[in-house]
Amino acid sequence: MHPSIGLTLGFLFIYTLLIGYIRSTCWKDPTSIFFQAQRAHSPTYSAHRIQEAVRYADLAGTEQPAQGSRINPPELCVGVPSVQREGISYLKSTLGSLQHGLSAEERAGLRFVVLLAHTDQTEHSDFDQPWLVMADQLPSYNDDPQRLALAKAMELNQTHGTKAKFDYSIVMEECEKTGAPYILIVEDDVVFLDGWRHRTMQALDRATTKSWEAGHTDFLYLRLFYYEGLLGWNSESWPTYLGSSLAATTGVLCLLLLTRRFIPAARLHLTRSVFLLVALVFAPLLIVLVFAAGGNCALPRPAGVHLMPENACCGQGLVFPRATVADELMPHFRANRWSEVPTDSFIEEYADATGTLRWALTPVVMQHVGGRSSHGAFRGTLGDMMPSRLWNYGFEENDADSLAAEHWRVNNETLYTGYLNCPVCQMWLK
Protein backbone atom coordinates (compact mmCIF):
# COMPACT_ATOMS: atom_id res chain seq x y z
CA MET A 1 0.00 0.00 0.00
CA HIS A 2 1.26 3.45 -0.89
CA PRO A 3 2.20 5.47 2.25
CA SER A 4 -0.15 8.28 1.23
CA ILE A 5 -3.11 5.89 1.07
CA GLY A 6 -2.39 4.50 4.54
CA LEU A 7 -1.94 8.00 5.91
CA THR A 8 -5.23 9.13 4.38
CA LEU A 9 -7.14 6.16 5.77
CA GLY A 10 -5.65 6.76 9.21
CA PHE A 11 -6.57 10.44 9.05
CA LEU A 12 -10.15 9.67 7.99
CA PHE A 13 -10.51 7.25 10.91
CA ILE A 14 -9.29 9.86 13.41
CA TYR A 15 -11.39 12.56 11.72
CA THR A 16 -14.52 10.43 12.11
CA LEU A 17 -13.75 9.96 15.80
CA LEU A 18 -13.30 13.73 16.19
CA ILE A 19 -16.66 14.39 14.55
CA GLY A 20 -18.33 11.97 16.96
CA TYR A 21 -16.62 13.62 19.95
CA ILE A 22 -17.52 17.16 18.87
CA ARG A 23 -21.08 16.10 18.11
CA SER A 24 -21.45 14.79 21.66
CA THR A 25 -19.79 17.88 23.19
CA CYS A 26 -20.96 20.90 21.19
CA TRP A 27 -24.69 20.18 20.93
CA LYS A 28 -25.57 23.13 23.20
CA ASP A 29 -23.57 25.75 21.31
CA PRO A 30 -26.02 27.72 19.12
CA THR A 31 -23.17 28.66 16.77
CA SER A 32 -22.28 25.02 16.07
CA ILE A 33 -23.61 22.97 13.18
CA PHE A 34 -24.06 20.19 15.75
CA PHE A 35 -26.43 22.36 17.82
CA GLN A 36 -29.54 20.48 19.03
CA ALA A 37 -32.13 23.16 19.76
CA GLN A 38 -34.77 21.06 21.48
CA ARG A 39 -32.26 19.39 23.77
CA ALA A 40 -30.29 22.57 24.49
CA HIS A 41 -33.42 24.52 25.48
CA SER A 42 -34.30 22.05 28.22
CA PRO A 43 -34.54 24.12 31.44
CA THR A 44 -32.71 21.56 33.56
CA TYR A 45 -31.75 23.94 36.36
CA SER A 46 -34.17 26.79 35.63
CA ALA A 47 -37.23 24.60 36.21
CA HIS A 48 -35.90 23.61 39.64
CA ARG A 49 -35.05 27.19 40.52
CA ILE A 50 -38.44 28.50 39.42
CA GLN A 51 -40.15 25.97 41.69
CA GLU A 52 -38.01 27.10 44.63
CA ALA A 53 -38.72 30.74 43.82
CA VAL A 54 -42.48 30.31 43.58
CA ARG A 55 -42.63 28.36 46.85
CA TYR A 56 -40.59 31.05 48.56
CA ALA A 57 -42.80 33.82 47.16
CA ASP A 58 -45.95 32.01 48.31
CA LEU A 59 -44.48 31.68 51.80
CA ALA A 60 -43.46 35.33 51.85
CA GLY A 61 -47.03 36.26 50.99
CA THR A 62 -48.61 34.27 53.82
CA GLU A 63 -46.13 34.89 56.63
CA GLN A 64 -44.72 38.07 58.04
CA PRO A 65 -41.11 38.06 56.84
CA ALA A 66 -38.43 38.37 59.48
CA GLN A 67 -37.34 41.97 59.52
CA GLY A 68 -33.65 42.09 60.33
CA SER A 69 -31.66 45.27 60.58
CA ARG A 70 -31.23 47.02 57.24
CA ILE A 71 -27.84 48.26 56.12
CA ASN A 72 -27.99 51.94 55.13
CA PRO A 73 -27.02 52.61 52.51
CA PRO A 74 -27.49 49.13 51.06
CA GLU A 75 -24.70 47.35 49.22
CA LEU A 76 -26.85 46.82 46.15
CA CYS A 77 -30.22 48.06 44.94
CA VAL A 78 -32.21 45.81 42.60
CA GLY A 79 -34.71 47.54 40.33
CA VAL A 80 -37.39 45.66 38.39
CA PRO A 81 -39.72 47.46 35.94
CA SER A 82 -42.66 45.19 35.15
CA VAL A 83 -45.53 45.44 32.68
CA GLN A 84 -48.54 43.21 32.13
CA ARG A 85 -47.94 40.39 29.67
CA GLU A 86 -50.85 38.73 28.00
CA GLY A 87 -51.74 35.48 29.73
CA ILE A 88 -48.66 35.14 31.94
CA SER A 89 -46.53 36.89 34.57
CA TYR A 90 -42.95 36.11 35.48
CA LEU A 91 -42.49 38.71 38.23
CA LYS A 92 -43.26 36.29 41.07
CA SER A 93 -40.55 33.81 40.10
CA THR A 94 -38.10 36.63 39.33
CA LEU A 95 -38.41 38.16 42.80
CA GLY A 96 -38.54 34.76 44.47
CA SER A 97 -35.31 33.62 42.83
CA LEU A 98 -33.61 36.88 43.82
CA GLN A 99 -34.46 36.34 47.49
CA HIS A 100 -34.68 32.58 48.04
CA GLY A 101 -31.64 31.32 49.93
CA LEU A 102 -30.40 34.74 51.07
CA SER A 103 -29.07 34.85 54.61
CA ALA A 104 -30.38 37.56 56.93
CA GLU A 105 -27.10 39.44 56.48
CA GLU A 106 -27.30 39.25 52.70
CA ARG A 107 -30.92 40.40 52.63
CA ALA A 108 -30.10 43.31 54.94
CA GLY A 109 -27.67 44.67 52.36
CA LEU A 110 -30.15 44.64 49.48
CA ARG A 111 -33.03 46.91 48.47
CA PHE A 112 -35.69 45.83 45.99
CA VAL A 113 -37.57 48.43 43.94
CA VAL A 114 -40.44 47.12 41.80
CA LEU A 115 -42.36 49.35 39.40
CA LEU A 116 -45.71 48.06 38.10
CA ALA A 117 -45.39 50.17 34.97
CA HIS A 118 -48.99 51.21 34.30
CA THR A 119 -50.69 54.49 35.05
CA ASP A 120 -53.54 52.33 36.33
CA GLN A 121 -51.61 49.70 38.26
CA THR A 122 -54.68 47.51 38.63
CA GLU A 123 -54.14 46.60 34.96
CA HIS A 124 -51.12 44.56 36.09
CA SER A 125 -52.11 41.04 37.10
CA ASP A 126 -49.70 41.14 40.04
CA PHE A 127 -51.15 44.30 41.55
CA ASP A 128 -51.80 43.92 45.28
CA GLN A 129 -50.49 40.36 45.35
CA PRO A 130 -49.43 39.37 48.89
CA TRP A 131 -45.97 38.23 47.77
CA LEU A 132 -45.13 41.80 46.72
CA VAL A 133 -44.04 42.25 50.34
CA MET A 134 -40.71 41.03 48.95
CA ALA A 135 -40.30 44.52 47.44
CA ASP A 136 -38.93 47.23 49.70
CA GLN A 137 -40.35 49.97 47.48
CA LEU A 138 -43.28 49.98 45.07
CA PRO A 139 -43.10 53.36 43.34
CA SER A 140 -45.93 54.64 41.17
CA TYR A 141 -46.27 57.24 38.44
CA ASN A 142 -48.71 58.96 40.80
CA ASP A 143 -45.78 59.80 43.09
CA ASP A 144 -44.79 62.59 40.71
CA PRO A 145 -47.21 64.65 38.54
CA GLN A 146 -44.61 65.08 35.79
CA ARG A 147 -43.96 61.34 35.67
CA LEU A 148 -47.67 60.65 35.52
CA ALA A 149 -48.21 63.06 32.62
CA LEU A 150 -45.30 61.58 30.66
CA ALA A 151 -46.43 58.01 31.30
CA LYS A 152 -49.98 58.79 30.13
CA ALA A 153 -48.67 60.36 26.95
CA MET A 154 -46.45 57.37 26.23
CA GLU A 155 -49.24 54.88 26.89
CA LEU A 156 -51.52 56.87 24.61
CA ASN A 157 -48.93 56.89 21.82
CA GLN A 158 -48.12 53.19 22.37
CA THR A 159 -44.41 53.84 21.91
CA HIS A 160 -42.98 50.71 23.46
CA GLY A 161 -39.29 51.64 23.18
CA THR A 162 -39.84 55.10 24.63
CA LYS A 163 -42.01 53.84 27.49
CA ALA A 164 -39.60 51.02 28.35
CA LYS A 165 -36.69 53.46 28.67
CA PHE A 166 -38.82 55.75 30.80
CA ASP A 167 -39.66 52.90 33.19
CA TYR A 168 -36.02 51.83 33.24
CA SER A 169 -34.97 55.36 34.19
CA ILE A 170 -37.53 55.49 37.02
CA VAL A 171 -36.24 52.38 38.78
CA MET A 172 -32.66 53.59 38.23
CA GLU A 173 -33.54 56.91 39.82
CA GLU A 174 -35.32 55.29 42.78
CA CYS A 175 -32.35 52.97 43.33
CA GLU A 176 -29.94 55.87 43.09
CA LYS A 177 -31.83 57.59 45.92
CA THR A 178 -31.09 54.67 48.26
CA GLY A 179 -27.38 55.53 48.15
CA ALA A 180 -26.39 51.99 47.15
CA PRO A 181 -22.95 52.01 45.45
CA TYR A 182 -24.25 49.61 42.79
CA ILE A 183 -27.59 49.37 41.00
CA LEU A 184 -28.83 46.18 39.33
CA ILE A 185 -31.66 46.59 36.85
CA VAL A 186 -33.31 43.35 35.71
CA GLU A 187 -36.17 42.45 33.44
CA ASP A 188 -39.16 40.82 35.07
CA ASP A 189 -38.90 37.51 33.17
CA VAL A 190 -35.64 36.10 34.49
CA VAL A 191 -34.52 33.64 37.14
CA PHE A 192 -31.40 33.91 39.32
CA LEU A 193 -29.32 31.02 40.60
CA ASP A 194 -28.78 30.25 44.26
CA GLY A 195 -25.80 32.33 45.38
CA TRP A 196 -26.12 35.04 42.76
CA ARG A 197 -25.52 37.78 45.29
CA HIS A 198 -22.03 36.76 46.48
CA ARG A 199 -20.89 35.99 42.94
CA THR A 200 -22.12 39.39 41.77
CA MET A 201 -20.46 41.31 44.59
CA GLN A 202 -17.16 39.49 44.03
CA ALA A 203 -17.41 40.22 40.30
CA LEU A 204 -18.04 43.92 40.99
CA ASP A 205 -14.88 44.10 43.08
CA ARG A 206 -12.95 42.47 40.26
CA ALA A 207 -14.48 44.75 37.61
CA THR A 208 -13.53 47.81 39.67
CA THR A 209 -9.95 46.60 40.06
CA LYS A 210 -9.64 45.78 36.35
CA SER A 211 -11.06 49.18 35.43
CA TRP A 212 -8.43 50.93 37.55
CA GLU A 213 -5.71 48.77 36.00
CA ALA A 214 -6.98 49.85 32.56
CA GLY A 215 -6.70 53.51 33.54
CA HIS A 216 -10.42 54.12 34.13
CA THR A 217 -11.89 55.49 37.34
CA ASP A 218 -15.10 53.51 36.80
CA PHE A 219 -17.02 51.37 34.30
CA LEU A 220 -20.42 51.49 32.65
CA TYR A 221 -21.85 48.15 33.72
CA LEU A 222 -21.29 44.54 34.68
CA ARG A 223 -23.37 42.15 32.58
CA LEU A 224 -24.91 39.20 34.45
CA PHE A 225 -26.53 37.57 31.41
CA TYR A 226 -25.61 37.18 27.76
CA TYR A 227 -26.77 35.13 24.79
CA GLU A 228 -24.07 32.82 23.42
CA GLY A 229 -25.55 32.87 19.92
CA LEU A 230 -23.83 36.20 19.21
CA LEU A 231 -20.45 35.14 20.59
CA GLY A 232 -19.45 32.57 18.00
CA TRP A 233 -17.60 33.16 14.77
CA ASN A 234 -18.34 36.65 13.42
CA SER A 235 -17.99 37.64 9.78
CA GLU A 236 -16.20 40.89 10.63
CA SER A 237 -13.36 38.89 12.19
CA TRP A 238 -12.58 36.90 9.01
CA PRO A 239 -9.06 38.41 8.63
CA THR A 240 -8.19 37.09 12.11
CA TYR A 241 -9.60 33.66 11.32
CA LEU A 242 -7.78 33.54 7.98
CA GLY A 243 -4.50 34.56 9.58
CA SER A 244 -4.87 32.00 12.37
CA SER A 245 -5.69 29.25 9.87
CA LEU A 246 -2.69 30.07 7.69
CA ALA A 247 -0.44 30.28 10.75
CA ALA A 248 -1.62 26.87 11.99
CA THR A 249 -1.07 25.26 8.58
CA THR A 250 2.34 26.89 8.21
CA GLY A 251 3.34 25.76 11.69
CA VAL A 252 2.47 22.15 10.92
CA LEU A 253 4.39 22.25 7.63
CA CYS A 254 7.42 23.79 9.33
CA LEU A 255 7.34 21.07 11.96
CA LEU A 256 7.26 18.39 9.25
CA LEU A 257 10.11 20.09 7.38
CA LEU A 258 12.25 20.20 10.52
CA THR A 259 11.47 16.56 11.21
CA ARG A 260 12.48 15.60 7.66
CA ARG A 261 15.72 17.57 7.93
CA PHE A 262 16.96 16.41 11.33
CA ILE A 263 15.56 12.85 11.41
CA PRO A 264 16.86 11.07 8.29
CA ALA A 265 14.69 8.00 8.88
CA ALA A 266 11.58 10.16 8.48
CA ARG A 267 12.49 11.25 4.94
CA LEU A 268 11.19 8.01 3.53
CA HIS A 269 7.70 8.77 4.82
CA LEU A 270 7.59 12.58 4.60
CA THR A 271 7.37 12.75 0.83
CA ARG A 272 6.14 15.56 -1.37
CA SER A 273 2.71 13.91 -1.64
CA VAL A 274 2.46 13.81 2.15
CA PHE A 275 3.20 17.53 2.37
CA LEU A 276 0.56 18.25 -0.28
CA LEU A 277 -2.00 16.12 1.59
CA VAL A 278 -1.28 17.91 4.86
CA ALA A 279 -1.39 21.40 3.34
CA LEU A 280 -4.31 20.96 0.96
CA VAL A 281 -6.50 18.28 2.60
CA PHE A 282 -5.78 17.39 6.23
CA ALA A 283 -5.21 20.90 7.63
CA PRO A 284 -8.21 22.47 5.83
CA LEU A 285 -10.51 19.65 6.98
CA LEU A 286 -9.38 20.09 10.59
CA ILE A 287 -9.85 23.85 10.37
CA VAL A 288 -13.36 23.36 8.96
CA LEU A 289 -14.14 21.04 11.86
CA VAL A 290 -13.01 23.66 14.38
CA PHE A 291 -15.34 26.23 12.85
CA ALA A 292 -18.16 23.69 12.61
CA ALA A 293 -17.80 23.00 16.35
CA GLY A 294 -18.87 26.59 17.10
CA GLY A 295 -17.05 29.48 18.68
CA ASN A 296 -18.29 28.89 22.22
CA CYS A 297 -17.37 25.21 22.15
CA ALA A 298 -14.03 25.54 20.38
CA LEU A 299 -12.92 28.59 22.38
CA PRO A 300 -15.01 28.70 25.59
CA ARG A 301 -14.89 31.89 27.62
CA PRO A 302 -12.85 31.44 30.81
CA ALA A 303 -14.58 31.95 34.14
CA GLY A 304 -14.29 35.41 35.62
CA VAL A 305 -14.87 39.03 34.61
CA HIS A 306 -13.99 40.01 31.05
CA LEU A 307 -14.64 42.88 28.70
CA MET A 308 -17.58 42.34 26.34
CA PRO A 309 -17.89 45.49 24.22
CA GLU A 310 -19.38 43.75 21.18
CA ASN A 311 -21.96 41.11 20.29
CA ALA A 312 -23.51 41.18 23.77
CA CYS A 313 -27.23 40.69 24.20
CA CYS A 314 -29.27 41.84 25.93
CA GLY A 315 -30.39 44.01 28.87
CA GLN A 316 -31.82 41.27 31.10
CA GLY A 317 -29.44 42.03 33.96
CA LEU A 318 -26.96 44.91 34.15
CA VAL A 319 -25.22 46.28 37.26
CA PHE A 320 -24.24 49.95 37.16
CA PRO A 321 -22.04 51.91 39.56
CA ARG A 322 -24.13 54.57 41.28
CA ALA A 323 -21.82 57.35 40.07
CA THR A 324 -22.31 56.22 36.47
CA VAL A 325 -26.08 56.28 36.90
CA ALA A 326 -26.18 59.70 38.55
CA ASP A 327 -23.59 61.48 36.41
CA GLU A 328 -23.98 59.84 33.03
CA LEU A 329 -26.97 57.59 32.40
CA MET A 330 -29.75 59.59 34.06
CA PRO A 331 -28.87 62.82 32.20
CA HIS A 332 -28.57 60.83 28.96
CA PHE A 333 -31.98 59.19 29.46
CA ARG A 334 -33.61 62.55 30.21
CA ALA A 335 -31.99 64.24 27.21
CA ASN A 336 -33.28 61.49 24.87
CA ARG A 337 -36.58 60.75 26.56
CA TRP A 338 -38.59 60.38 23.36
CA SER A 339 -36.08 58.23 21.50
CA GLU A 340 -37.64 54.97 20.28
CA VAL A 341 -34.37 53.03 20.35
CA PRO A 342 -34.76 49.92 22.58
CA THR A 343 -33.27 50.30 26.05
CA ASP A 344 -30.40 47.84 25.64
CA SER A 345 -29.39 49.31 22.27
CA PHE A 346 -29.70 52.80 23.75
CA ILE A 347 -27.20 51.92 26.47
CA GLU A 348 -24.85 50.21 24.01
CA GLU A 349 -24.89 53.22 21.70
CA TYR A 350 -23.95 55.43 24.64
CA ALA A 351 -21.08 53.07 25.52
CA ASP A 352 -19.82 53.09 21.92
CA ALA A 353 -19.92 56.89 21.85
CA THR A 354 -18.14 57.39 25.18
CA GLY A 355 -15.73 54.46 25.20
CA THR A 356 -16.77 53.35 28.68
CA LEU A 357 -15.96 49.83 29.86
CA ARG A 358 -18.49 47.02 29.62
CA TRP A 359 -17.72 43.96 31.71
CA ALA A 360 -19.42 40.57 31.70
CA LEU A 361 -19.44 37.79 34.28
CA THR A 362 -18.80 34.19 33.19
CA PRO A 363 -20.57 31.95 34.00
CA VAL A 364 -23.77 33.98 34.09
CA VAL A 365 -25.82 34.06 37.29
CA MET A 366 -29.24 34.42 35.69
CA GLN A 367 -31.40 32.98 32.93
CA HIS A 368 -33.96 34.59 30.63
CA VAL A 369 -37.08 32.41 30.86
CA GLY A 370 -39.71 34.63 29.28
CA GLY A 371 -41.41 33.26 26.20
CA ARG A 372 -43.71 36.24 25.79
CA SER A 373 -42.33 39.75 25.38
CA SER A 374 -43.49 42.80 27.29
CA HIS A 375 -45.24 44.15 24.18
CA GLY A 376 -47.27 41.03 23.51
CA ALA A 377 -45.14 39.17 20.96
CA PHE A 378 -44.73 35.43 21.47
CA ARG A 379 -41.03 34.62 21.25
CA GLY A 380 -40.80 30.89 20.84
CA THR A 381 -42.33 27.62 19.84
CA LEU A 382 -41.19 25.63 22.86
CA GLY A 383 -43.50 27.10 25.48
CA ASP A 384 -43.77 30.26 27.56
CA MET A 385 -40.83 29.29 29.78
CA MET A 386 -38.64 28.00 26.94
CA PRO A 387 -37.92 30.75 24.40
CA SER A 388 -36.34 29.98 21.06
CA ARG A 389 -33.81 32.80 21.51
CA LEU A 390 -32.06 34.77 24.27
CA TRP A 391 -31.27 31.66 26.28
CA ASN A 392 -27.97 31.03 28.04
CA TYR A 393 -27.32 27.35 27.49
CA GLY A 394 -24.46 27.14 29.97
CA PHE A 395 -26.75 28.27 32.81
CA GLU A 396 -28.62 24.98 32.67
CA GLU A 397 -25.44 23.07 33.59
CA ASN A 398 -25.72 24.38 37.15
CA ASP A 399 -26.29 21.81 39.88
CA ALA A 400 -28.65 22.84 42.68
CA ASP A 401 -26.81 20.93 45.42
CA SER A 402 -23.40 22.29 44.40
CA LEU A 403 -24.70 25.87 44.32
CA ALA A 404 -26.35 25.49 47.73
CA ALA A 405 -23.11 24.11 49.18
CA GLU A 406 -21.11 26.98 47.67
CA HIS A 407 -23.57 29.53 49.05
CA TRP A 408 -23.47 27.95 52.52
CA ARG A 409 -19.66 27.92 52.50
CA VAL A 410 -19.41 31.57 51.47
CA ASN A 411 -21.86 32.64 54.16
CA ASN A 412 -19.91 30.72 56.81
CA GLU A 413 -16.65 32.28 55.66
CA THR A 414 -18.26 35.71 55.86
CA LEU A 415 -19.49 35.06 59.40
CA TYR A 416 -16.04 33.81 60.45
CA THR A 417 -14.34 36.85 58.94
CA GLY A 418 -16.80 39.09 60.77
CA TYR A 419 -16.03 37.27 64.01
CA LEU A 420 -12.27 37.76 63.56
CA ASN A 421 -12.85 41.48 62.95
CA CYS A 422 -14.99 41.85 66.08
CA PRO A 423 -12.88 41.85 69.30
CA VAL A 424 -15.98 42.40 71.44
CA CYS A 425 -17.59 39.28 69.93
CA GLN A 426 -14.49 37.23 70.71
CA MET A 427 -14.40 38.47 74.32
CA TRP A 428 -18.11 37.69 74.76
CA LEU A 429 -17.71 34.13 73.45
CA LYS A 430 -14.76 33.54 75.77
Side-chain angles (χ1 to χ4, degrees), residues 166-187:
F166 182 56
D167 298 336
Y168 203 93
S169 68
I170 289 176
V171 292
M172 276 202 305
E173 184 176 355
E174 294 300 320
C175 273
E176 192 274 335
K177 291 177 183 177
T178 68
Y182 295 105
I183 296 169
L184 166 60
I185 309 297
V186 303
E187 291 190 356

Side-chain angles (χ1 to χ4, degrees), residues 253-322:
L253 291 175
C254 288
L255 180 62
L256 293 177
L257 284 170
L258 290 173
T259 302
R260 177 182 170 86
R261 179 174 182 180
F262 294 104
I263 304 178
R267 295 172 185 171
L268 180 64
H269 305 285
L270 296 180
T271 62
R272 180 178 298 178
S273 60
V274 169
F275 276 85
L276 289 174
L277 276 173
V278 170
L280 302 179
V281 180
F282 297 168
L285 283 176
L286 289 172
I287 290 170
V288 167
L289 190 58
V290 170
F291 282 96
N296 298 293
C297 187
L299 298 172
R301 298 182 65 83
V305 175
H306 307 280
L307 286 172
M308 192 179 286
E310 297 176 341
N311 304 314
C313 180
C314 293
Q316 278 73 21
L318 302 175
V319 191
F320 306 94
R322 180 172 181 262

Side-chain angles (χ1 to χ4, degrees), residues 27-28 38-52 191 367 369 385-386 391-401 403:
W27 56 267
K28 60 180 178 294
Q38 189 76 22
R39 182 182 176 190
H41 277 100
S42 177
T44 309
Y45 175 71
S46 294
H48 168 80
R49 189 59 178 163
I50 289 170
Q51 291 175 356
E52 286 185 327
V191 60
Q367 179 67 287
V369 297
M385 300 300 281
M386 296 175 64
W391 184 260
N392 187 280
Y393 302 94
F395 182 86
E396 302 307 324
E397 297 177 356
N398 283 300
D399 176 73
D401 293 336
L403 289 175

Side-chain angles (χ1 to χ4, degrees), residues 179-243:
Y182 295 105
I183 296 169
L184 166 60
I185 309 297
V186 303
E187 291 190 356
D188 65 346
D189 58 349
V190 298
V191 60
F192 281 76
L193 56 73
D194 185 6
W196 70 270
R197 181 259 174 202
H198 71 259
R199 288 194 183 184
T200 299
M201 299 308 295
Q202 291 169 359
L204 286 169
D205 288 341
R206 188 64 183 137
T208 299
T209 301
K210 284 193 165 188
S211 297
W212 291 343
E213 292 173 349
H216 292 252
T217 57
D218 223 326
F219 56 94
L220 181 61
Y221 65 64
L222 170 68
R223 177 178 295 277
L224 303 185
F225 171 88
Y226 54 81
Y227 169 56
E228 299 118 314
L230 297 179
L231 297 175
W233 312 114
N234 296 293
S235 57
E236 61 268 22
S237 299
W238 71 264
T240 301
Y241 304 149
L242 177 61

